[in-house]
Amino acid sequence: MRESVTAKTRVIAFSHISNVSGIALPAKEICQLAKAKNILSVIDGAQSLGMMDLNLTEIGCDFYTASTHKWLMGPLENGIFFVKKENIARLWPNVLSAGWKDTTTTVDEKLCVLGQRNETSAFAIPETIDMHLTIGRKVIEARVRKVNGYLKERIQSRIPQATFASPLWEGASAGITIVGLPGKTPADINQKLYDTYGIAAAPAGGIRMSPHIYNTLADVDKVVEALAALAV
């Protein structure tokens, strides 16, 4: 990445955790690189919010975006947008409605005046966050990492011919495990997992599985046995 940054670079935007490879990028180090070169940093946190114990102040990003329905397990069609206060003046919305104000101090007035929308679903976000805080962010991350680590170990043991698109190294891993089965298409395997075994996966980068805190190790064993049967 350092070699890709030039004098023309104005923004470094990246996914904290890739949905097609499962790799967790070193967000803090990337943001430090951006800051050192007076470049804005933008993080897509769709796969990290609700899974990782995040501290955006420590990470040091200028902007952070995420959806609420993924790892946060909140309402659909809602998102979270973090902006450093000193960057508010640099933003300009592309959707405006009545009551909009060009302000440099209040994000709500400048970026969130969008006209009619489903307010009721947004009201569930604070409750969702309270649930996560009650369980504990560190507890959630530790559990997700444990279940995913077990999933990878079981696949390696039970289906040695399986290939991994997601990292096996803990330092670059998070909550996503993506595998391929030789001679099989991900879309076909994902459909059979759902139709035959009632297992939901996604054909993103391979056969993508994202076990969460509500999944047990017994659930993982069921998934691995299903994959083993479909790998034949």
Side-chain angles (χ1 to χ4, degrees), residues 76-136:
L76 286 165
E77 300 176 352
N78 283 273
I80 290 176
F81 184 34
F82 165 83
V83 185
K84 276 187 177 178
K85 190 172 183 178
E86 59 265 32
N87 291 323
I88 296 175
R90 307 180 70 169
L91 293 178
W92 193 262
N94 58 7
V95 178
L96 303 176
S97 188
W100 177 81
K101 295 180 181 179
D102 182 8
T103 174
T104 60
T105 57
T106 307
V107 173
D108 286 345
E109 292 179 333
K110 187 171 185 178
L111 302 177
C112 299
V113 181
L114 307 175
Q116 293 180 327
R117 54 183 172 173
N118 186 1
E119 300 284 358
T120 55
S121 64
F123 291 153
I125 296 176
E127 297 295 330
T128 302
I129 294 174
D130 284 345
M131 178 190 71
H132 273 254
L133 294 178
T134 299
I135 298 171

Side-chain angles (χ1 to χ4, degrees), residues 16-17 45-54 64 66-74 80 128-129 131-133 135-142 144 211-213:
H16 197 172
I17 301 171
Q47 300 292 343
S48 59
L49 180 69
M51 180 264 146
M52 283 186 162
D53 178 23
L54 294 172
Y64 180 94
S67 54
T68 58
H69 73 278
K70 295 181 183 291
W71 293 95
L72 199 61
M73 300 183 290
I80 290 176
T128 302
I129 294 174
M131 178 190 71
H132 273 254
L133 294 178
I135 298 171
R137 293 180 301 176
K138 292 184 184 297
V139 172
I140 291 173
E141 179 172 348
V144 171
H212 210 333
I213 55 171

Side-chain angles (χ1 to χ4, degrees), residues 193-213:
L193 280 173
Y194 190 79
D195 293 341
T196 306
Y197 301 95
I199 297 170
I207 305 162
R208 190 185 76 188
M209 296 157 283
S210 306
H212 210 333
I213 55 171

